[in-house]
Structures are given as C-alpha cells and as structure tokens.
C-alpha cells in the first residue's frame, strides 16, 4: 500500500495560493480536494483575512464535520477557524437572526425524526391520494418526500407546482399532497430545513448589507447544488466576495432531486466574473487501469470535464479491474479477502441489494449499510429486507407452503412488516379497513390465518379464487425442497404476479418487480433449499469472523466514500441504465432510454460507482457473448443493439486499458503508443507531462 506524501502537487499549489478573483475548481475523484481547500483557507488567514470574512459550505453534515476536524488540525490554534457550514445550517442561522430582528415570525423547526413530521407527511399523503392510514407504505412516503425536496430545490410554491409543466410528469396525488403539506406547516407554525433556504434567500434579498463582511466563500460539491442554493451563493457574494466553487460534473448524480449540473458546467463561469478555472486532475485513490476505464466510460458523455483523470505517478496503488460473467452471488465469499480493511458491494437499485443481502446471510458474511454501525452481526433486526414487499410476500408464502401457517413469525421482530407486505401484495382486493383489521388480528399469537382469510374472503368470486390459490400452497412443500421449486409453486398460485402493482408510485412498483425477478434468478442459480432460505431471512447464523464486514450501498449512498475492494452487481442493460418504469421479466425486454440526458446521468452514476475502488474492482455481469467479443477485440464503443450486459461495461474498453496500464508499470509505454486508441495516447501524454 502506497503512502500519500505530505507535499502538494503543482495543481494543488495554484489553488492554495489563489486570491482575488472567483475560481472554479474541477476535481477528479480522490484528487485531495479537501486537503487543498483546507490549505487554501490556511493561506487566506495567513494573508490577513479575518475568520468571520470566510465562509465554507459543505454539501452534508458528515463532510462539514470532517472538513472542520482537518481544518482545526492544520491551523494548530494559530488562527481561529472560520465558519464551516452546510447550506441548511447556514439558512437556519440567517432565519434565526431575522426572527430575532422581528423580520420573520417565530416557527418551530420541523425535522424528519420528529413525530410531528411523520404525522404531517402522512396526513399530506392521505389528502393527496385519498388513502387510508393503514395503506400507506414507507416507500411511498419516501417518494413523496423526494418530490417535496424537488419542489423546494426549485423554490416552487404549491400554486406554482400545480401550473408548472416541469412537474406535469409527476402524479397528481403528489401535487395535491405538497399543497396540503405546505398548508399544515403554516397551520402548525413549522418550518423545515428546505423551506428555510427559500426564507434565507428572501432575507438576504431584502437586506444584503447584513452580509457585506464576507470576502471569501468556498463551496464544495458544486455539481450537486440546486437553483435555490445557487441563487443564495450569488446573493451572499454580492459584488465584494470571491467565490471558489469546487466540484466535478462527471459526478453530478442528483438531477432527479433538483441538482443542476449546468451550474458547474457553464452557468457559474458566466455569472461569476472575473474567474479563473483550475483543475485537480490527479487522483491519489486508484491506479492507472481504473483511471483509464473511467476516462473511457465518461468520454461517451457530451457534458463532461475536458481534462482526463490521471493516477498520480508515484503515490497511487495498483488497481485491478476484472469482469465476472454469470457470477452467482452465493459464491461472493470467493471475491472477498479475509481480514481486508474495507469492502463494499454496490448496486444501482435497492432491489439488487436485497438479493445481495440474502447472499451474504447465506454465506455468513457480516455486513452493514453506510449509516449503520458495523458490529459484525447479521441479526434478524439488522436488515432492510422486511421493508421490501416482495421479500415479505415470499417469506409468508414459503411459510404457508412448508408450515401450513405463519406461527413461525409469532415472536419474530419483523412480523408486523412481513404481514403488512404480504397482505398488501397478495392480490387481494380489500374493502375499506379490512386489511388493517386482518393484520391487527394476525399480530395475536393465537390467530389462525386460515380462519381469518376464510372469513375475509367469503364474498365474491375473485375473493374465493384467491383463497383457493392460497389454500393450494398449504403444506405443499418441505424444507429440503429446492427454494427455486417452491418459488415456482408460489408463482403458479399467482402470488408473484401482483408484486408492485398495488404501489401508486411507478418507480417503486418497477423496483419491486425487479426485486422479484432478481430473487428468482438468485434462487435458480444458488440451488439453496427452502429451509436454508427461510433460515437466512428469519434467523441468520452468526457471521463468519474470518471476514471483515462488507458495506452494502447504492451508488448514490456510496458517493464520497472509498473502499479497498468494490464489487458491483446488477449490471444488466435492461436495468442499468435505468429509464421509464417497465416491468423487467427477461434480459430481452430492455427498456428504452427516454432521453440523452437521462443516459448521461446514469453513466455518471456508474462513474461514481467504479471510482470508489482503491485496489480491486469486480464487475458482475450476466453471460453476454457480444460483450465477450467486445473484450476480445479490445473495443470501447457503445453497442448499437440492446445488449444483455450493461452498455456501460462495453464502454470501459477494459482490454486496451489493461494493456496500457501494464505498459506504464513496466515502463514500456513508449513501445505501445502507436498501437493504442486516441484516449489512451492522450492519457500517456498527460502522464509524461506530470512526470
């Protein structure tokens, strides 16, 4: 493992010493931008700037805490530390000051962990969708929250959302729910962090003189800012403060929640003048092979950073990238190194993480999600599986097949969630209040599911047919039967065909059907028994102490993190790039990309995923003869016909990148210069310049 030098590069030095004009810093992954910004703040203080004249804005709380700690260590009590804030904490301070001056009315801060918030968001959802409380799924609440976040990001009031064509593609229930959410905030005199951004903007607009003391504003992750945040920066800067925006358009992956990549890709340079553009093009995180494939991938985007990502010549580890066709996750332990410092399994969707979580439980490998404490356990409580309705339906159906009832759930911590998911997606047309009544009775340990279902489904032909389907499963299998065979019985009874169709959110509905498809494939390839599946889900064995914990994360959740080993699963072109919600039942039913922009954002998402790796990157893909041909020929083009493996894997140009990387490490790059592609030749030229 290489150690990073304490010296700075020439690119970093230019940024550290910059003073005067606005600046745009375009930084590749792992380029040491935090260290560079910390030293830049130190230099500003050394040159006479007062701490209260400097404002540093980080994208989230974790980044703020980390930056503050590194800044304090660097300053060594020689200078007072300037303000380091998130956008939300800055807006809170501005609003609180305005309240003290009597410019704004006093309101309580409503955070998402408060009972009042849960009550308000559920009331808003009920109003928007005329839904019963018992029928509100957490995933659908989260979809509404994302929509409200998007509205706040654009600074759009409810009446504007209702008439704005930008929001026309969202469900009308969302729009009505946002209106009600806004009304409830006013009624109960609450403000949220997001609503405070708009209030803070109004305060600065009316009294800009209150903020003229600022001379330097530094904003990290500028590719992720939204319209309100961008306008807030313009108002704070006025015509006196210099703004340094730092980011990477290649890592802009939050457009779906209001972020605007064009702010860092042109608008900032147009609106902040005079300006100087800097680059941090050297990564210290990974070796040449990964840099080369990352450049090959992102080169297919129209909107991208002009400079290549270059591995620092002397201070980066060798990174091995490999593709594994048809790899079954039940063999995931073969990719893990016992005692390794850090390993992550990443995926585009939560559906693939559910499949992965099952595999890790079967292999007794400890795991955690990024926001969980890694305690080495795989307890029944420590899982997100029971938040997925397809898992709940399968667990209940397997129990009916093997035990003939659900008594095994009597004391299980996930009982309520499993019952709710099963009853919701079992294909039963419940009358108002009926499902909640059955679920409440089933929570009683002595409840008989067949008696309750017979009573509830006695009226109507459809109800009687569904009851017969369920009865056909009773005691129809043994624990020693293959799980794939039991799954087939459940599918024949019609219990899998309703997965996802009860969701009012199309993206969530699609994700559930994908999840069922992934689990079906996993059961077929792993050859586990029904008993082993139930044990892994309901009563997982103690994790194998020979392995360090594995982090499970979507690409979005992994942004800003890094791992020694990264395993990426779910690389099917029918699912990644993701686009309009279509049911995925086979590889041949590939989804059409709705626009060039959406495919470019998906490509950036894959770019973020692969650049989390430091030493090893494993790409798990389905069997695809055309991909094998691409690799054999050394191509890196996008296939014109819909492939089986993700088109993004085709675009990596892995064969040529491996050859060039090997030549760099063996110092024979000059010998292959004329035999490689244009992008690799450009990489070699940049590398020679750095050396």
């Amino acid at each position: 493992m290489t150690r990073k030098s304490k010296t700075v590069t020439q690119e970093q030095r230019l940024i550290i010493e910059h003073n005067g004009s606005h600046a745009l810093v375009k930084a590749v992954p792992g380029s040491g931008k935090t260290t560079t910004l910390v030293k830049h703040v130190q230099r500003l203080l050394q040159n006479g700037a007062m701490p209260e004249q400097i404002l540093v804005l980080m994208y989230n709380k974790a980044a703020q805490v980390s930056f503050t700690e590194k800044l304090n260590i660097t300053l060594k009590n020689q200078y007072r530390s300037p303000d380091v804030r998130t956008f939300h904490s800055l807006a809170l301070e501005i609003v609180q000051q305005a309240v003290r001056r009597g410019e704004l009315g006093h309101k309580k801060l409503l955070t998402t962990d408060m009972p009042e918030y849960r009550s308000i968001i559920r009331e808003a959802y009920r109003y928007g969708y005329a839904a019963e409380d018992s029928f509100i799924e957490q995933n659908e609440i989260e979809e509404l929250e994302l929509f409200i976040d998007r509205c706040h990001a654009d600074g759009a009031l409810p009446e504007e959302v209702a008439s704005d064509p930008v929001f026309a593609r969202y469900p009308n229930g969302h729009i009505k729910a946002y209106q009600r959410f806004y009304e409830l905030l006013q009624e109960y005199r609450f403000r949220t962090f997001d609503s405070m951004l708009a209030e803070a903007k109004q305060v600065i607009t009316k009294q800009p003189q209150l903020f003229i003391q600022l001379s330097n504003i530094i904003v990290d992750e500028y590719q992720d800012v939204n319209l309100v945040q961008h306008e807030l920066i313009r108002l704070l800067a006025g015509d006196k403060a210099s703004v340094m925006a730092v980011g990477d358009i290649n890592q802009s992956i939050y457009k779906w929640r209001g972020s605007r990549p064009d702010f860092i890709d042109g608008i900032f340079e147009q609106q902040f003048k005079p300006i100087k553009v800097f680059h941090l093009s050297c990564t210290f995180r990974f070796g040449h092979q990964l840099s080369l494939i990352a450049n090959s991938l992102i080169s297919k985007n129209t909107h991208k950073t002009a400079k290549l990502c270059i591995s620092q010549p002397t201070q980066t580890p060798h990174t091995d990238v490999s593709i594994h066709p048809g790899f079954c996750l039940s063999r995931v332990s073969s990719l893990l190194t016992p005692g390794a410092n850090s390993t992550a399994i990443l995926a585009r969707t939560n559906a693939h993480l559910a499949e992965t979580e099952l595999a890790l439980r079967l292999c007794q490998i400890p795991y955690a999600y990024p926001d969980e404490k890694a305690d080495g356990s795989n307890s029944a409580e420590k899982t997100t599986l029971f938040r997925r309705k397809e898992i709940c339906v399968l667990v209940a159906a397997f129990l009916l097949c093997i035990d003939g009832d659900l008594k095994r759930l009597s004391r299980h911590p996930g009982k309520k969630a499993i019952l709710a998911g099963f009853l919701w997606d079992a294909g039963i047309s419940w009358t108002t209040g009926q499902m909640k009544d059955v679920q409440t009775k089933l929570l009683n340990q002595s409840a008989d599911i067949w008696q309750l279902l017979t009573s509830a489904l006695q009226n109507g032909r459809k109800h009687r047919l569904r009851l017969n389907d369920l009865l056909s499963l009773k005691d129809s299998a043994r624990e020693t039967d293959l799980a794939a065979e039991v799954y087939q019985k459940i599918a024949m009874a019609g219990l899998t065909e309703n997965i996802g169709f009860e969701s009012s959110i199309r993206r969530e509905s699609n994700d559930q059907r994908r999840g069922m498809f992934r689990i079906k494939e996993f059961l077929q390839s792993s050859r586990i028994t029904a008993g082993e599946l139930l044990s892994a889900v309901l009563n997982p064995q103690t994790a194998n102490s020979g392995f360090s914990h594995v982090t499970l994360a979507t690409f979005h959740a992994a942004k800003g993190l890094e791992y020694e080993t990264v395993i990426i699963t779910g690389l099917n072109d029918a699912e990644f790039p993701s686009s309009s919600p279509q049911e995925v039942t086979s590889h041949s039913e590939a989804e059409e990309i709705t626009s060039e922009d959406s495919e470019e954002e998906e490509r950036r998402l894959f770019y973020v995923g692969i650049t989390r790796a430091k030493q090893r990157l494993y790409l798990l893909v389905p069997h695809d003869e055309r991909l094998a041909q691409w690799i054999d020929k050394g191509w890196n083009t996008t296939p014109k016909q819909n492939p089986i493996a993700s088109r993004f894997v085709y675009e990596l140009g892995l064969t040529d990148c491996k050859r060039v990387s090997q030549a760099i490490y063996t110092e024979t790059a000059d010998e292959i210069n004329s035999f490689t592609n244009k992008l690799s030749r450009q990489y070699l030229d940049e590398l020679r310049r750095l050396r």
Side-chain angles (χ1 to χ4, degrees):
M1 179 69 185
T2 57
R3 296 181 63 184
K4 295 181 183 178
S5 170
K6 292 184 179 180
T7 60
V8 297
T9 67
Q10 179 62 20
E11 288 182 328
Q12 291 172 330
R13 187 176 302 282
L14 290 173
I15 297 165
I16 292 168
E17 296 177 352
H18 173 73
N19 200 3
S21 68
H22 300 300
L24 177 60
V25 179
K26 299 181 179 183
V28 302
S31 58
K33 65 182 175 69
T34 301
T35 298
T36 303
L37 294 181
V38 164
K39 289 183 177 294
H40 175 63
V41 172
Q42 182 186 36
R43 179 58 60 91
L44 290 174
L45 294 169
Q46 289 172 342
N47 289 342
M50 301 299 293
E52 56 269 19
Q53 294 178 305
I54 302 172
L55 172 63
V56 182
L57 286 172
M58 310 303 290
Y59 191 70
N60 57 38
K61 181 68 175 178
Q64 177 209 7
V65 170
S66 176
F67 189 91
T68 301
E69 290 174 351
K70 291 176 181 178
L71 183 60
N72 288 335
I73 291 171
T74 300
L75 297 181
K76 298 176 182 177
N77 295 322
Q78 294 176 350
Y79 303 95
R80 282 188 297 111
S81 179
D83 236 357
V84 180
R85 292 185 176 273
T86 63
F87 277 98
H88 285 153
S89 67
L90 173 66
L92 176 62
E93 177 63 23
I94 292 171
V95 168
Q96 286 178 337
Q97 288 180 9
V99 170
R100 287 193 288 269
R101 293 193 300 267
E103 298 165 15
L104 290 176
H106 177 75
K107 294 181 180 179
K108 292 176 287 185
L109 176 62
L110 184 67
T111 58
T112 55
D113 58 348
M114 294 170 60
E116 294 91 340
Y117 173 83
R118 292 192 291 272
S119 176
I120 286 175
I121 195 69
R122 292 177 75 85
E123 171 60 28
Y125 183 94
R126 279 196 297 270
Y127 178 84
Y129 285 95
E132 290 185 69
D133 184 66
S134 60
F135 276 55
I136 303 176
E137 290 295 318
Q138 180 59 30
N139 289 325
E140 299 192 0
I141 291 292
E142 290 172 359
E143 289 284 349
L144 175 59
E145 290 174 317
L146 285 175
F147 175 75
I148 293 174
D149 288 347
R150 176 64 192 270
C151 295
H152 283 141
D154 286 352
L157 295 172
E159 57 270 22
E160 296 170 328
V161 170
S163 58
D164 192 335
V166 171
F167 295 96
R169 63 188 178 88
Y170 291 96
N172 188 53
H174 273 24
I175 296 172
K176 292 172 65 177
Y178 177 46
Q179 173 74 47
R180 184 60 182 148
F181 180 79
Y182 196 87
E183 290 172 352
L184 290 169
L185 289 183
Q186 306 308 311
E187 182 180 336
Y188 293 109
R189 300 196 61 75
F190 279 122
R191 54 171 52 101
T192 67
F193 275 120
D194 284 331
S195 66
M196 277 193 299
L197 284 170
E199 288 186 291
K201 177 185 159 188
Q202 292 171 1
V203 170
I204 301 173
T205 302
K206 291 179 180 178
Q207 300 209 53
Q209 72 277 6
L210 296 176
F211 304 92
I212 59 174
Q213 79 275 12
L214 289 175
S215 63
N216 292 89
I217 301 173
I218 301 167
V219 190
D220 194 17
E221 303 290 1
Y222 210 83
Q223 77 279 354
D224 293 330
V225 302
N226 57 44
L227 178 61
V228 173
Q229 292 166 335
H230 175 76
E231 291 183 345
L232 195 62
I233 294 300
R234 290 186 68 191
L235 290 168
L236 283 170
D239 57 2
K240 294 184 181 296
S242 297
V243 179
M244 176 178 282
V246 186
D248 180 11
I249 189 177
N250 295 345
Q251 298 185 73
S252 176
I253 59 173
Y254 293 112
K255 191 174 181 181
W256 49 274
R257 74 179 188 194
S259 296
R260 295 266 302 272
D262 51 346
F263 286 135
I264 197 172
D265 189 36
I267 292 178
F268 185 85
E269 292 177 70
Q270 294 169 8
Q271 297 183 348
F272 290 83
K273 292 182 178 180
I275 188 169
K276 185 155 186 174
V277 178
F278 297 96
H279 291 272
L280 288 176
S281 59
C282 278
T283 181
F284 296 86
R285 180 179 296 161
F286 42 79
H288 297 296
Q289 188 177 341
L290 184 43
S291 283
L292 285 159
I293 67 167
N295 291 326
S296 178
L297 172 74
I298 209 65
S299 69
K300 308 304 183 292
N301 272 7
T302 303
H303 304 287
K304 57 183 177 290
T305 303
K307 284 261 193 178
L308 296 181
C309 173
I310 309 290
S311 292
Q312 212 285 334
T314 61
Q315 300 176 41
T316 52
H318 289 212
T319 308
D320 180 61
V321 182
S322 55
I323 296 174
H324 300 260
F327 187 89
C328 178
L329 279 171
S330 62
R331 297 188 292 109
V332 69
S333 59
S334 65
L335 299 179
L336 304 180
T337 304
N341 289 334
S342 61
T343 300
I345 300 180
L346 309 182
R348 170 65 180 85
T349 67
N350 286 316
H352 288 94
L353 292 183
E355 174 196 13
T356 304
E357 192 170 346
L358 277 176
L360 292 176
R361 285 173 166 241
L362 285 165
C363 297
Q364 300 176 37
I365 296 171
Y367 64 87
Y369 285 84
D371 56 351
E372 289 181 337
K373 181 181 178 181
D375 57 8
S377 70
N378 282 352
S379 64
E381 295 91 341
K382 183 183 174 182
T383 180
T384 62
L385 287 177
F386 304 138
R387 289 186 59 183
R388 299 199 60 85
K389 282 179 276 192
E390 70 271 20
I391 296 289
C392 297
V393 171
L394 275 187
V395 168
F398 266 74
L399 288 174
L400 295 180
C401 289
I402 295 169
D403 298 346
D405 55 40
L406 301 180
K407 295 190 183 301
R408 205 186 297 196
L409 296 176
S410 60
R411 298 186 182 278
H412 194 276
K415 179 179 181 177
K416 185 175 182 180
I418 294 171
L419 289 176
F422 171 66
L423 295 174
W424 176 266
D425 259 346
I428 300 171
S429 301
W430 302 101
T431 58
T432 303
Q434 191 179 31
M435 191 190 99
K436 184 176 182 179
D437 180 59
V438 171
Q439 180 184 344
T440 301
K441 290 177 180 177
L442 278 175
L443 290 174
N444 189 315
Q445 292 185 25
S446 60
D448 185 326
I449 185 172
W450 298 115
Q451 182 179 353
L452 288 171
L453 289 178
T454 300
S455 175
L457 305 179
Q458 58 184 332
N459 298 321
R461 182 172 178 273
K462 282 185 67 175
H463 277 178
R464 289 195 296 273
L465 288 174
R466 176 51 73 203
L467 179 60
N468 289 337
D469 290 336
L470 292 169
L471 284 168
S472 71
L473 297 177
K474 186 179 181 182
D475 298 318
S476 62
R478 296 170 298 177
E479 291 204 3
T480 54
D481 292 343
L482 288 175
E485 294 175 355
V486 179
Y487 176 94
Q488 191 60 32
K489 289 182 181 180
I490 294 168
M492 291 291 290
L495 258 68
T496 61
E497 64 188 26
N498 296 287
I499 297 294
F501 284 98
E502 295 300 324
S503 174
S504 60
I505 309 301
R506 292 196 303 161
R507 188 169 70 85
E508 176 61 30
S509 170
N510 188 44
D511 187 52
Q512 291 166 18
R513 296 198 295 276
R514 283 177 170 166
M516 186 60 84
F517 174 64
R518 300 304 314 158
I519 290 167
K520 175 186 174 183
E521 284 204 331
F522 174 74
L523 296 181
Q524 289 172 339
S525 60
S526 64
R527 306 285 294 174
I528 63 171
T529 67
E532 288 171 332
L533 174 66
L534 286 174
S535 177
V537 176
L538 297 176
N539 303 296
Q541 308 230 352
T542 303
N544 188 335
S545 59
F547 291 101
S548 300
H549 87 277
V550 173
T551 298
L552 296 183
T554 61
F555 294 142
H556 287 103
K559 188 171 183 292
L561 305 175
E562 60 182 25
Y563 307 91
E564 301 292 330
T565 301
V566 169
I567 302 168
I568 297 182
T569 185
L571 295 176
N572 313 297
D573 200 70
E575 301 171 71
F576 188 38
S578 175
S579 62
S580 58
Q582 305 280 342
E583 182 177 9
V584 178
T585 56
S586 70
H587 290 306
S588 62
E589 293 181 20
E591 299 175 12
E592 243 179 89
I593 298 299
T594 56
S595 70
E596 182 182 343
D597 280 351
S598 64
E599 182 168 342
E600 291 209 354
E601 173 132 351
E602 290 289 290
R603 189 175 284 111
R604 291 194 293 267
L605 190 57
F606 189 43
Y607 179 90
V608 167
I610 64 177
T611 55
R612 300 310 94 197
K614 296 171 70 176
Q615 294 187 328
R616 291 168 291 276
L617 174 64
Y618 301 126
L619 305 174
L620 310 188
V621 301
H623 286 292
D624 185 347
E625 292 183 5
R626 192 185 304 165
L627 176 61
Q629 180 187 20
W630 242 251
I631 294 172
D632 183 58
K633 299 289 186 181
W635 296 336
N636 69 345
T637 54
T638 308
K640 293 182 179 179
Q641 297 179 341
N642 286 332
I644 296 174
S646 172
R647 66 195 68 181
F648 299 149
V649 180
Y650 281 73
E651 295 170 352
L652 298 178
L654 183 59
T655 303
D656 189 66
C657 293
K658 276 192 173 184
R659 187 163 60 93
V660 174
S661 173
Q662 183 64 26
I664 292 170
Y665 288 121
T666 57
E667 299 184 351
T668 58
D670 290 339
E671 299 174 15
I672 67 162
N673 196 55
S674 59
F675 300 101
T676 189
N677 63 46
K678 180 180 178 181
L679 200 64
S680 293
R681 290 197 299 272
Q682 185 181 348
Y683 185 92
L684 292 172
D685 289 342
E686 287 293 318
L687 193 59
R688 292 188 191 98
R689 181 184 63 80
L690 286 171
R691 285 176 166 169

